[in-house]
């Protein structure tokens, strides 16, 4: 089977797997090429002088006198290697270069070992000043030490029993250890008063050696020159290495200017890259396809799949959901989009099966689809948010009025309690440690505030319905940290106070029926599914609402809501008027709760609906682009 037939079968059998579409490629016009690639690589040969200390033992090498003289001689010899007058390291590097480049393509940082000669220098030992001996520290140079038995006195105390007088007699006598002299010969110096110098081991000299070491470090910049036909050659060789070439020859040291200038050594070589070039035809569009190397790896597919991929990708973001789903499920389109979003490389693009023009066009259409879905995800959110604001405002207003009606004594004390407007002063007092929370030391306020902020941050990070940036996470955590103490402490102390003062059920039921009963009107309109039943539902709700108010008016005598000699509705109005004073002192809290609930709950509902819609596309990368992967 010819190479042309072999590659044509390969493309046809693998094309659908690569792109997801059938690609009936026809190859023709086979041409063999042997590209002569000339490469230039730079390495920096670093030659340095290393100092080694040997104490009093003189090492082998060229003795130069003092250590400073040995150092000077070593540096002069190193300059010979750097200048190139002594080719030692050059020759060593050339021996390493050819096999390493042939196998690995780019040489690694390589040690060139040390030059054979070491330069030795010696200096007088500073500890013993060249004598090789130092004063014995045990006897301080005296050669003798105090006797251990008599402590240097020469006599020791003894006691004897006098049997004649039957008593114990205490006296002194000459020390038997030192024979009365009070001292003994020093064991460390054997009585000489001097010991061998430990720094130079008695030689009186300290020796050091200097070696010249070389290292080859790969340059960060390299380039190649190519007089062949195609611009993709360089990228292909970079990816595959020299295992694709037939031979490697003419390794020489060269001089260059520009990018590699400044390297100590630069080497060049020539490589032969065998290549087969074909004319590939699909849908009457011709392109060049190249297979290169010993195994004829795909070098440049010439964008052969462009027509097939674009036939599907051009419909992406055009307005048809079915076309979008089909395009996102196509392997080639899917890979291109994932490479774009994750900034990764794929063979489909590196080997030019799909050209960069098609890649950019697919990316543009995908961005258009993402933009459309983002607009669709928030379409109509403002009216819904305003409706939610009205709903939650009335809800929290009703809850507040019920509290004031059921607990009128508690409502009367509203001006004396801390509201949200006074709360910042309380926060400042806490942070300035003006008082202690829960009876603990005031400095503990900071630990509590910090702990609450950390807990709030973790809560937002884990429980918020979508991924948000750090700035928003910190902002929400700070908001919770500031508001949560006010909410918790208010609920705790106000509930205690309200229970202590006791409820008034009659006023609460009669007054609450006026506000809670208005929900009947909403239900009367919303429950009927048919539009022509909605007016009837509203009429029925109004009738039921009036009936409830009439029942409470009839029960006034039994309940005692309003005194019997007073008009019921006028008296009930006065009760509600007193309750509205409580609303006056809490309208900021009511408004704040309504705004927060309407904003976050509406946005969450729209986000969940949008995620459900996006999930229908069955594309994880689309969910990531829409920030909906959570």
């Amino acid at each position: 089977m010819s190479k042309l037939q072999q590659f044509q079968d390969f493309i046809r059998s693998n094309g659908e797997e690569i792109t997801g579409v059938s690609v009936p490629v026809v190859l023709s016009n086979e041409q063999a090429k042997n590209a002569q690639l000339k490469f230039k690589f730079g390495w920096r040969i670093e030659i340095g002088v290393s100092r080694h200390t040997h104490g009093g033992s003189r090492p082998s090498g060229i003795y130069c006198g003092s250590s400073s003289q040995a150092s000077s001689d070593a540096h002069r010899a190193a300059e010979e290697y750097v200048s190139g007058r002594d080719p030692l390291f050059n020759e060593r590097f050339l021996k390493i270069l050819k096999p390493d480049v042939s196998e690995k393509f780019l040489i690694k940082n390589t040690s060139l070992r040390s030059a054979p000669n070491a330069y030795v220098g010696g200096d007088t030992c500073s500890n013993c000043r060249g004598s090789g001996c130092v004063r014995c520290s045990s006897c301080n140079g005296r050669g003798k030490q105090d006797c251990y038995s008599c402590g240097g006195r020469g006599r020791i105390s003894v006691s004897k029993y006098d049997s004649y007088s039957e008593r114990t007699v205490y006296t002194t006598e000459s020390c038997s250890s030192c024979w009365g002299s009070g001292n003994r010969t020093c064991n460390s110096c054997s009585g000489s008063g001097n010991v061998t110098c430990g720094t130079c081991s008695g030689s009186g000299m300290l020796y050091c050696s200097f070696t010249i070491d070389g290292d080859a470090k790969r340059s960060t910049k390299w380039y190649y020159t190519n007089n062949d036909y195609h611009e993709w050659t360089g990228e292909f060789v970079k990816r595959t290495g020299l295992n694709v070439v037939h031979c490697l020859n003419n390794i020489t040291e060269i001089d260059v200017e520009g990018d590699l200038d400044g390297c100590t050594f630069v080497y060049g070589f020539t490589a032969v890259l065998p290549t087969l070039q074909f004319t590939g035809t699909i849908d009457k569009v011709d392109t060049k396809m190249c297979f290169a190397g010993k195994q004829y790896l795909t070098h440049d597919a010439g964008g052969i799949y462009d027509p097939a991929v674009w036939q599907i990708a051009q419909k992406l973001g055009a307005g048809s959901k079915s076309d979008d789903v089909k395009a996102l499920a196509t392997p080639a389109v899917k890979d291109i989009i994932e490479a774009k979003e994750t900034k990764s490389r794929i063979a489909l693009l590196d080997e030019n099966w799909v050209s960069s023009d098609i890649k950019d066009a697919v990316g543009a259409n995908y961005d258009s689809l993402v933009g459309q879905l983002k607009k669709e995800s928030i379409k109509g959110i403002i009216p819904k948010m305003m409706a939610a604001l009205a709903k939650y405002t009335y809800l929290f207003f009703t809850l507040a009025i019920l509290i004031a009606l059921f607990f009128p004594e508690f409502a009367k004390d509203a001006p004396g309690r801390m509201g949200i407007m006074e709360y910042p002063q309380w926060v400042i007092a806490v942070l300035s440690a003006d008082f202690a929370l829960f009876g603990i030391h005031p400095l503990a306020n900071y630990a509590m505030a910090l702990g609450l902020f950390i807990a709030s941050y973790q809560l937002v990070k884990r429980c918020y319905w979508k991924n948000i940036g750090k700035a928003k996470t910190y902002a929400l955590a700070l908001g919770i940290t500031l508001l949560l103490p006010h909410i918790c402490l208010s609920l705790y102390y106000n509930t205690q106070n309200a229970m202590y003062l006791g409820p008034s059920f009659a006023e609460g039921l009669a007054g609450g029926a006026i506000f809670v009963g208005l929900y009947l009107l909403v239900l009367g309109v919303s429950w009927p599914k048919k539009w022509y039943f909605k007016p009837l539902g509203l009429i029925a709700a109004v009738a039921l609402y009036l009936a409830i108010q009439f029942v409470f008016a009839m029960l006034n005598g039994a309940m005692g809501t309003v005194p019997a000699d007073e008009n019921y509705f006028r008296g009930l109005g006065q009760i509600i008027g007193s309750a509205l004073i409580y609303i006056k002192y809490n309208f900021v809290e009511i408004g704040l709760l309504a705004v927060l609930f309407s904003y976050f709950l509406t946005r969450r509902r729209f986000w969940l609906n949008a995620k459900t819609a996006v999930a229908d596309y069955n594309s994880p990368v689309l969910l990531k682009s829409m920030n909906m992967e959570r």
Side-chain angles (χ1 to χ4, degrees):
M1 181 185 295
S2 67
K3 289 292 183 183
L4 185 149
Q5 187 63 42
Q6 176 184 338
F7 292 140
Q8 182 172 280
D9 292 344
F10 163 76
I11 296 169
R12 289 184 175 183
S13 62
N14 292 279
E16 187 169 356
E17 180 182 348
I18 295 174
T19 64
V21 296
S22 178
V23 186
V25 178
V26 177
L27 295 184
S28 61
N29 192 24
E30 179 179 347
Q31 298 181 49
K33 291 179 176 289
N34 287 313
Q36 296 290 325
L37 305 180
K38 296 182 179 179
F39 293 85
K40 292 180 182 178
F41 293 87
W43 288 273
R44 183 175 63 255
I45 307 301
E46 292 187 347
I47 298 174
V49 176
S50 302
R51 187 178 190 273
H52 313 276
T53 57
H54 303 275
S57 177
R58 177 175 170 176
S60 60
I62 301 173
Y63 188 73
C64 304
S66 66
S67 60
S68 60
Q69 184 62 44
S71 175
S72 299
D73 290 350
H75 280 87
R76 278 196 298 271
E79 291 176 357
E80 294 289 318
Y81 294 119
V82 173
S83 65
R85 290 191 293 271
D86 190 329
L88 172 69
F89 290 105
N90 301 53
E91 293 171 354
R92 285 184 180 178
F93 183 60
L94 281 174
K95 290 179 181 179
I96 296 173
L97 176 67
K98 186 171 182 178
D100 201 15
V101 170
S102 299
E103 180 182 353
K104 303 184 180 72
F105 186 43
L106 291 179
I107 191 173
K108 297 180 180 178
N109 293 347
T110 302
S111 173
L112 301 178
R113 305 190 308 279
S114 300
N117 293 326
Y119 297 85
V120 180
D123 297 320
T124 301
C125 177
S126 59
N127 191 36
C128 65
R129 293 182 174 84
S131 65
C133 297
V134 292
R135 177 182 294 181
C136 177
S137 60
S138 298
C139 64
N140 200 24
R142 295 187 297 116
K144 295 183 178 182
Q145 294 176 306
D146 290 342
C147 175
Y148 293 134
S149 298
C150 64
R153 296 188 300 274
R155 300 184 68 80
I156 58 174
S157 298
V158 296
S159 61
K160 295 181 179 180
Y161 182 73
D162 187 357
S163 59
Y164 180 77
S165 60
E166 295 184 350
R167 64 176 181 171
T168 301
V169 178
Y170 294 93
T171 185
T172 62
E173 62 182 26
S174 296
C175 176
S176 59
S177 299
C178 61
W179 303 103
S181 64
N183 51 53
R184 61 180 181 83
T185 302
C186 176
N187 293 330
S188 298
C189 62
S190 301
S192 66
N194 295 315
V195 294
T196 301
C197 177
T199 304
C200 63
S201 301
S203 67
M205 297 289 289
L206 293 176
Y207 295 97
C208 59
S209 64
F210 296 86
T211 58
I212 302 171
D213 308 308
D215 291 292
K217 296 189 176 181
R218 181 163 58 89
S219 172
T220 57
K221 295 181 180 180
W222 67 278
Y223 68 93
Y224 75 98
T225 58
N226 176 29
N227 298 321
D228 196 51
Y229 62 99
H230 207 282
E231 61 182 13
W232 280 76
T233 302
E235 291 297 326
F236 177 67
V237 175
K238 282 183 184 179
R239 292 196 309 272
T240 57
L242 292 186
N243 61 332
V244 300
V245 303
H246 269 182
C247 61
L248 179 69
N249 49 45
N250 299 332
I251 296 182
T252 55
E253 184 178 351
I254 57 177
D255 295 323
V256 296
E257 295 180 357
D259 290 342
L260 293 175
D261 192 21
C263 293
T264 306
F265 302 104
V266 176
Y267 294 88
F269 62 87
T270 301
V272 178
L273 178 66
T275 304
L276 286 178
Q277 178 177 295
F278 301 91
T279 298
T281 305
I282 178 174
D283 293 342
K284 300 180 180 180
V285 177
D286 294 341
T287 185
K288 287 184 179 180
M289 296 189 67
C290 305
F291 296 85
K294 298 174 183 178
Q295 305 300 323
Y296 288 106
L297 304 172
T298 306
H299 175 195
D300 179 11
I304 193 69
Y305 290 153
D306 283 0
V309 173
W310 184 240
Q311 184 180 0
I312 294 176
Q314 65 182 342
K315 300 176 182 178
L316 186 65
S320 172
K321 185 175 181 179
S322 60
D323 289 340
D324 293 338
V325 173
K326 181 181 178 182
L328 291 173
T330 302
V333 177
K334 182 179 178 181
D335 289 346
I336 290 172
I337 292 173
E338 287 182 353
K340 172 182 178 294
E341 293 299 304
T342 60
K343 304 294 188 297
S344 59
R345 300 175 66 92
I346 57 174
L348 190 71
L349 300 176
D350 287 343
E351 297 175 8
N352 200 27
W353 293 100
V354 176
S355 67
S356 59
D357 292 338
I358 296 298
K359 178 201 73 172
D360 295 339
V362 171
N365 284 8
Y366 177 74
D367 291 339
S368 176
L369 173 63
V370 172
Q372 293 172 21
L373 292 176
K374 286 183 177 180
K375 288 181 180 179
E376 190 67 26
S377 67
I378 59 172
K379 186 178 180 181
I381 193 172
I382 298 301
K384 289 290 185 181
M385 196 171 290
M386 297 306 296
L389 180 61
K391 178 178 72 174
Y392 287 113
T393 299
Y394 187 74
L395 171 65
F396 291 116
F397 170 80
T398 303
L399 290 176
I401 203 73
L402 288 175
I403 292 172
L405 291 171
F406 275 98
F407 301 95
E409 296 300 324
F410 170 78
K412 288 179 182 178
D413 295 338
R417 285 189 291 272
M418 182 179 66
I420 193 68
M421 302 304 292
E422 294 81 20
Y423 181 64
Q425 300 176 3
W426 183 85
V427 172
I428 294 173
V430 168
L431 296 180
S432 58
D434 289 346
F435 68 95
L437 289 171
F438 309 111
I440 309 174
H441 193 279
L443 294 179
N445 296 351
Y446 301 108
M448 293 182 188
L450 180 61
L452 181 57
F453 177 78
I454 294 174
S456 301
Y457 180 84
Q458 294 298 328
L459 179 68
V460 173
K461 195 174 180 180
R462 293 176 180 272
C463 299
Y464 202 73
W465 66 85
K466 67 174 183 177
N467 290 327
I468 55 177
K470 281 191 174 182
K472 288 185 178 180
T473 305
Y474 281 122
L476 286 175
L478 182 61
I480 294 174
T481 303
L482 293 175
L483 291 177
L484 190 61
H486 177 64
I487 295 172
C488 294
L489 293 174
S490 296
L491 284 175
Y492 176 74
Y493 290 112
N494 289 343
T495 302
Q496 271 193 336
N497 193 16
M499 291 297 103
Y500 175 77
L501 295 174
S504 176
F505 289 103
E507 294 182 3
L509 290 174
I514 293 178
F515 297 97
V516 177
L518 293 177
Y519 282 100
L520 292 172
L521 306 182
V522 178
L523 294 176
V525 176
S526 60
W527 271 6
K529 302 301 180 183
K530 304 293 184 181
W531 66 268
Y532 43 81
F533 284 135
K534 291 185 181 295
L536 297 177
L538 179 61
I539 293 172
V542 171
L544 181 59
Y545 177 79
L546 295 176
I548 291 173
Q549 306 309 319
F550 180 75
V551 169
F552 275 106
M554 292 298 100
L555 295 175
N556 180 55
M559 297 175 61
T561 306
V562 177
D565 58 346
E566 187 176 347
N567 182 275
Y568 173 75
F569 292 103
R570 185 180 298 111
L572 186 60
Q574 293 176 354
I575 293 173
I576 293 173
S578 300
L580 291 176
I581 297 176
Y582 177 76
I583 301 296
K584 171 185 174 182
Y585 288 103
N586 293 276
F587 75 96
V588 177
E589 284 90 340
I590 294 171
L592 183 61
L593 287 172
V595 169
L596 292 176
F597 270 70
S598 60
Y599 177 80
F600 285 105
L601 293 183
T602 304
R603 284 184 61 86
R604 184 175 186 274
R605 185 171 70 253
F606 268 73
W607 184 85
L608 291 174
N609 292 337
K611 183 176 181 180
T612 302
V614 173
D616 293 340
Y617 288 83
N618 195 27
S619 173
V621 70
L622 183 60
L623 283 172
K624 183 176 179 61
S625 299
M626 295 287 293
N627 194 22
M628 294 178 174
E629 64 268 33
R630 282 187 66 170

